């Protein structure tokens, strides 16, 4: 049988899940308040003082429990001036549509094999762009001022796979020979990249 | 057989539809450009000089053809100072999540029968709120300055049913006896409302 | 941790939910009987002695647990003679198809913005009509005898939003200024309607 | 290129299909009338003078074009007195829920391997029964009077596979050795059954 | 309240179910191992020494818990030489696509009413065939050597309904009069078949 | 209006698409043959004499038109001895389940942010492994003999994004500064990789 802690963990997962399942509340009165459907503070600029110079604040079903089964979430993304980059990534369960609030962004996505077409554009405030379901995409701040966007994603839990981190920084690390061959890189470069991206496994 | 015009109409519907269907392009080269996935001008304040004092700019699959089958759309909503109202409405095919860019909004939604619970909150810049699939909701500007939000909707064609317009302003009008009985209103008031909201049928 | 009562509540929700999830029974022997898939008494005329003169008996997953995840439910609707009305409402999660068993009904639905087209018809015994997903619709008995229909709905829990009740009778009430502005009604009429429809919150 | 006839055929398929796809009309004015959402004559008893003594009148998207993409259909089924049988069949794309309008029916369905549990019940007027998605089910009139039901099905095109006809009466016929082995029947009986059920292939 | 045993049963169902629901782990560390996503031994020929001369090894969510919510499963099917038969059956929740690894198979499916078209082919090693969602299909080994296929199915829990077993071997048995009438068989033959296929109910 | 060629192109897309849409044939007789549901030659070893030493033969809706809307496809993958690699890739619209027919494979996938857990295993003949929807995964032949697998994918058009090709070999190329920053690589290495992988754009 499960321990108390395991049981409580699973029960909490369960309660959250059942809230809206099939469009039915399980009628837990604590669930049905405005707080389950709201979140505050998305007006506050995020710290972009990291290696890539960007910061994603995603509000999914973990932050807003009322989103469960409703198929949508929302994000704010901040970009540092002069090259702040939301690096190439995919959302395994969502399309993304963003609107630029301020700044100038070079954005794009790549279609699947065999074409691998790169569809890109420079965006200014008020511009909107769509990144289709599951495709690799990125945004780069090409101006001297910060940039900010809001984005809708078509899942209550879209997930994010940052390509560099998943490939070179997984836990545990992927056998470097695989990556050297796949990316046509010298094994020493792979080792170097794995040390760099694999920090969270040390 | 169809006339040329009808045929062309349907062919255009078809082409747009087939673009991404099953995740497959029909490889019409004109489709696969950045323009099919973008839109400009959402930074420009909209005119709120109408009766309710609000203006919704929805970018769905008609404005951004690349959204087709991707299950998401995006809107900007402007509210006039001192009572600009996005009046009670539903989206028959979408949940909505919005973030307040500026202003102070009193927002809420009503759950279905028999509870008809009204879940509401006052929102400030940076606040986020969710309006679940198909439920009646509204937003009211309660400050002396304009308000603006961006909203994600979980469909490429969410649809909007403004309750007052659909009920009192349909084309043709609903038999006024139905509405008098349903809303417990004097028939003269129904006649007055139908004249008011039914303008587009004259 | 949850109290015993809360735990039992959630466990019961859970069991019902898991019954057919992914097409898999959790093999609770009590579930797999004919009673989980049946209901009796839909031949008995319902009492229509209420303000609107109609009575909806909906058999959804709460009445027939075996419906869970199966995407359908069934209703009987009775209408009083001379104006029995199933007032304007939406099903946030279902299309409805009905067949008239007896009586003469004036029925219709309104399409979404901006057309708000009203599609209506007078129905006689044996006539069938479809109310598409999420649209506002109603049925009115226009004969001197009672009317009865059976209706299929495309969800095991379609939900019903009676417009007048959700708008004027929510719990708590919507700020009357919102409704006065949205429906172009004098505030006194809104107050009157809220007193009328909001009875269940007193 | 397609002949005129082929082209027209496909165009008609297309138009019907596109009507509601993604919840979007292609705005063919002929489509948006009440006739696209209605059907008449389901009150008229059907002829049950056939071998099995039953008659199914299914209103799917072919009879009611407005049903397209809406996920529901409706049927009337008539049963002859003293053994009228809607023989064992499946709906490959739908769950069915029926209500008995008149008569006494012995109904049931069989769950999948390995249990093959037979869940059955005798139904009287006003009784409701659910036949879950894809399972084999039947209804038998066990009274001396005719029986009638109305049924909702969770697809605009549920499909029907009558087991005996699909197995013994396909076009062309299945190799009789397959059926003899599968059903443990003498080859002569298979030949006899194939002659009986395969009439439509001659 | 539930007994300990019932509780544990439901909790285990729950845990398995919640693993990937909405693409979200409930972060039970025991779940996230390679063993939850793998299975061994599908290279070993299965025993086909049974009445029909075939053996299906289906790996669904019960064998590979990581499949939950992922919508796919995999099977190995072995056929005895000289007539090993995977008898007519349906998968109520899946399409099947198979590839012949060795042997010669006569395969086919029957479309739904009213056409009941039988689409068949003789397959050799390396041949692939599709059995569409919910249709009756079978495979017969027509060579003097064993045959083996691998098959993908489009559900983590496709289900299987073997027609002969569900019709003649259900538990409890279907009233033989129903089957005699449906299949146009003498009641004695039905009784014989029910004795044969209904073994598991004795 | 469209040119003849464009029209024919779109009509062909249309015909293929409509074949099974909503489970409905448009009754084009040419469609309903066994050839629309089959494919031959998957027993023939593929040439693995390329840079990575692997070869994927995917049978999706383009090779087997009858798969349309049925949600599944099938692949054979060949791996060269001593390091044949199916390099890191995702399927934007599918989960994959494979069975090893011959050889020894080191396989794995990486979960999404922030964990980026690498789940891996060495597989032998008869071993089965699941690569969940949208996650990065690969297979490496670690033996001195060729390897072969069959794989089912949960979409009729799963799509494949080979990470190295989409990132470094898109058409046109992604701005190398983006990739240098994202992957922490010297710009010269990026230039070198883009020359290597971008061959198809020259």
């Amino acid at each position: 049988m499960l321990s108390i802690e395991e049981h409580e963990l699973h029960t909490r997962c369960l309660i959250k899940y059942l809230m809206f399942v099939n469009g039915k509340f399980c009628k837990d009165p604590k669930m049905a308040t405005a707080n389950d459907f709201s979140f505050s503070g998305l007006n506050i600029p995020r710290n972009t003082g990291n290696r890539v110079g960007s910061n994603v604040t995603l509000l999914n079903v973990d932050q807003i429990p009322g989103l469960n089964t409703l198929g949508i979430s929302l994000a704010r993304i901040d970009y540092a001036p002069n090259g702040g980059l939301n690096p190439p990534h995919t959302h395994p369960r969502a399309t993304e549509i963003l609107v630029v609030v301020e700044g100038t962004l070079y954005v794009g996505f790549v279609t699947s094999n065999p074409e691998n077409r790169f569809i890109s554009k420079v965006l200014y405030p008020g511009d909107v762009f769509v990144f289709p379901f599951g495709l690799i995409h990125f945004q780069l701040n090409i101006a001297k001022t910060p940039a900010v966007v809001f984005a809708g994603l078509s899942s209550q839990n879209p997930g994010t796979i940052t390509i560099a981190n998943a490939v070179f920084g997984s836990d545990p690390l992927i056998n470097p020979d695989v990556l050297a061959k796949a990316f046509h890189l010298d094994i020493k470069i792979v080792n170097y990249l794995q040390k760099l991206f694999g920090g969270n496994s040390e």
Side-chain angles (χ1 to χ4, degrees), chain A residues 20 36-37 58-75 93-98 133 150-159:
Chain A
F20 256 112
D36 291 310
F37 297 93
L58 174 61
L59 305 183
N60 67 12
V61 67
D62 288 329
Q63 284 76 39
I64 305 182
L67 280 175
N68 215 346
T69 78
L70 294 181
I72 198 162
S73 54
L74 190 136
R93 291 178 293 274
T95 290
E96 177 176 348
I97 183 168
L98 63 70
F133 200 99
F150 288 117
L153 296 111
S154 65
S155 165
Q156 68 269 15
N157 188 35

Side-chain angles (χ1 to χ4, degrees), chain A residues 125-139:
Chain A
D127 284 2
V128 170
F129 204 82
V130 174
F131 304 101
F133 200 99
L135 299 187
I136 297 178
H137 61 286
F138 68 88
Q139 303 102 31

Side-chain angles (χ1 to χ4, degrees), chain A residues 168-169 173 188-202:
Chain A
F168 295 107
L173 295 171
K188 287 177 190 162
I189 295 179
V190 171
N191 288 334
Y192 160 78
L193 292 174
Q194 288 192 324
K195 188 162 289 182
L196 205 75
F197 286 102
N200 60 338
S201 65
E202 293 167 22

Side-chain angles (χ1 to χ4, degrees), chain A residues 15-21 23-42 59-74 156:
Chain A
I15 294 171
K16 181 184 291 188
Y17 179 68
L18 287 177
M19 244 187 76
F20 256 112
V21 105
K24 292 192 60 197
F25 284 93
C26 264
K27 300 217 175 78
D28 181 320
K30 286 186 301 298
M31 292 297 166
T33 74
N35 288 339
D36 291 310
F37 297 93
S38 61
F39 192 89
S40 286
L42 223 54
L59 305 183
N60 67 12
V61 67
D62 288 329
Q63 284 76 39
I64 305 182
L67 280 175
N68 215 346
T69 78
L70 294 181
I72 198 162
S73 54
L74 190 136
Q156 68 269 15

Side-chain angles (χ1 to χ4, degrees), chain A residues 2 4 12 15 61 77 79 91 108 113 116 135:
Chain A
L2 297 176
I4 293 295
R12 266 186 289 130
I15 294 171
V61 67
I77 315 177
Y79 309 83
H91 302 293
N113 295 346
N116 291 323
L135 299 187

